[in-house]
Amino acid sequence: MSRAVVVDRPGAHRLVEAERPVPGPGEVLVKVAAAGICMSDREVYEGRRDPAYVRYPVTPGHEWSGTVEAVGGGVDPALVGRRTVAEGFRACGICERCRAGDTSLCTSGYEETGFTLPGAFADHVTVPARLLHPLADDADLRSAALLEPAAVVAGAVRAGCPEPGERIAVVGGGTLGLLAVQILAAYAPGELTVVEPRSARAALGPAFGAHEVVGPAAAEHRRGHYDLVVETAGAPTTAASSCLLARRGGRVVLTGMFTTGARGIDPVHLSVSQLTVRSVFGAPSAAWSFAVRAFTAGLLDPGPLITHEFPLERYAEAVALVGGGDPGTGKVLLRP
């Protein structure tokens, strides 16, 4: 048997038990070890996610790790027993964007594990084998559950093209921001600054590789200073303020998920300063490979970000913690 959290509609969920899923052709069945909860999952539960990006009823869970338990037809049986993570986007692999390697921009329509297809807030999850990124035999699956946000950050860092000795700022000291700091530290920046107003989160910055952590008020005096700014907060003002931190000719990568009403970027400043501005939504396959390699090499250690772990039965309590305002709450996991 296998259990799963099902959100039938906004605000209504249940824990169901049914026969263990059977992987179809080209699929694998993974025993879930850990699944992270992010703000997108809370939006699903509360009904605040854009209807184009969710389909009820749904089992959420797009950040996860586990062990392959069974394979379907046409899949290498040697995968059974492998520790693994998997991409969430169900890219078609044949459209123009996919063939160019931009799988997160697939033009065949949006489908994603945990939003439109059953996710990992369950004992088991079934995914196409082609989306797997197998891990080392001794990989820490608890930490590996954060490789999905790490892949998003890896995509942002790759888009920003950091170079050794550069002045780099990360706006936001949450999960995405601190993962970005770990990856960027490997590029040997001359300066690596985190802009974060919450003192509890700011305290983690130096341990993850930041040279300094400053608040938004202090950052006002750093305008025009940084070669690269990686925005991860998604706050109403941070897209605009991140562009102001970049030097003339600098680069800005927007990673946070903004909501309606966020302050726009000043087009005059953008033009006169000749900034390069990129945005990131999800992670293409190459970014996943990058994150998994960094994790395997020990350059990326998401474990210290985890502050709470709950069983499936306490899903409602767990999801309420995310975005609840408690400064002591970092990454929350469900552990089936």
Side-chain angles (χ1 to χ4, degrees), residues 102-122:
D102 298 322
T103 52
S104 58
L105 297 176
C106 178
T107 59
S108 294
Y110 170 77
E111 296 285 354
E112 186 175 2
T113 302
F115 295 107
T116 64
L117 296 163
F121 292 172

Side-chain angles (χ1 to χ4, degrees), residues 33 37 55 69 93 97 100 164 171 260 288 332:
I37 305 176
R55 187 161 58 236
E69 198 167 88
R97 296 315 324 150
V171 177
T260 302
W288 272 92
V332 178

